[in-house]
Amino acid sequence: MPGKVNASNPSVRERLLAAADDLFYREGVQTVGIDRIVKQAGVAKASLYNVFGSKDELVQAYLDARHADTRELVERSLTRFRTPRERLLGVFDAQGQLFTEPDFNGCAHMTASAEAAHGSVVEGAADRYRLWVRTLFTDLAREAGVADSDGLARQLHLLYDGAGVSARMDRDPSAATTARAAAAALFDAAVKDGSGVGSR
């Protein structure tokens, strides 16, 4: 999921982010050094520090760009669905699109977090991303009339995380389909138990 770049005349910032996205996502934020990024971007090392200030700030920009791209994909995908139930399950359809991308290498935030120290900019970026995912599920559950929208959102978030791990570790893009079916069962059980009103 490369960041948006003006192909005709990319700025220094765009070139650095594109290089960071490619290298960090494929190899990890700790493995890849500044020298490789500036070489691939075709800019001077001083330019990186002028634009971002530090490698940490570049890593944060990379993760925030990944977050923005994922959010845009999901929100665009959900416009195809008419009911709250369909939109809620549609999150997993959107996730499945990510899994089928040729360069899919797992969740960028999860991978970066595994290498990061507590309190780092990576942790902050990952927290913002995860808050968005949880809020998305909570809002969609609430729209569907689920009384315990927070509880259902927590369950769905676990499925979302698990699908991402399975798609990467098992090299199984169909993990999103399996997660979607489990999400449907959880949603329908909540409705059957009287904690929601279904596809309102």
Side-chain angles (χ1 to χ4, degrees):
M1 184 187 300
K4 296 177 180 61
V5 176
N6 181 347
S8 61
N9 187 27
S11 68
V12 170
R13 178 183 176 83
E14 288 173 333
R15 287 156 66 186
L16 285 166
L17 272 176
D21 184 84
D22 176 47
L23 293 170
F24 286 159
Y25 188 61
R26 280 193 293 113
E27 301 180 29
V29 298
Q30 298 300 327
T31 302
V32 176
I34 292 298
D35 289 342
R36 290 189 61 200
I37 293 169
V38 297
K39 180 179 180 181
Q40 182 159 320
V43 304
K45 185 182 291 187
S47 297
L48 186 148
Y49 292 107
N50 287 337
V51 174
F52 292 104
S54 67
K55 181 183 176 182
D56 278 351
E57 294 303 314
L58 176 61
V59 170
Q60 178 174 301
Y62 150 70
L63 291 172
D64 287 345
R66 283 260 160 187
H67 177 174
D69 287 349
T70 300
R71 181 171 186 159
E72 181 181 344
L73 171 69
V74 171
E75 290 178 348
R76 185 173 64 247
S77 178
L78 297 191
T79 62
R80 298 183 293 128
F81 303 104
R82 300 180 61 181
T83 70
R85 181 184 188 276
E86 289 173 341
R87 286 194 292 275
L88 187 148
L89 299 179
V91 174
F92 295 95
D93 294 329
Q95 188 183 36
Q97 292 179 48
L98 295 173
F99 295 169
T100 59
E101 290 183 355
D103 65 345
F104 177 72
N105 193 33
C107 173
H109 294 83
M110 187 179 298
T111 303
S113 293
E115 305 177 88
H118 179 66
S120 67
V121 296
V122 169
E123 187 176 68
D127 286 348
R128 289 190 296 277
Y129 173 70
R130 293 183 64 73
L131 176 62
W132 168 72
V133 174
R134 181 68 60 85
T135 301
L136 174 65
F137 280 128
T138 302
D139 290 346
L140 290 170
R142 188 176 294 121
E143 287 175 23
V146 175
D148 185 11
S149 54
D150 290 336
L152 181 60
R154 178 174 169 77
Q155 293 174 324
L156 298 178
H157 198 173
L158 288 170
L159 287 176
Y160 185 90
D161 287 347
V165 172
S166 180
R168 172 65 182 88
M169 299 295 290
D170 302 328
R171 295 167 295 282
D172 179 16
S174 71
T177 303
T178 303
R180 188 189 194 281
L186 286 170
F187 178 88
D188 293 342
V191 173
K192 183 177 180 181
D193 291 342
S195 60
V197 295
S199 59
R200 183 175 69 185

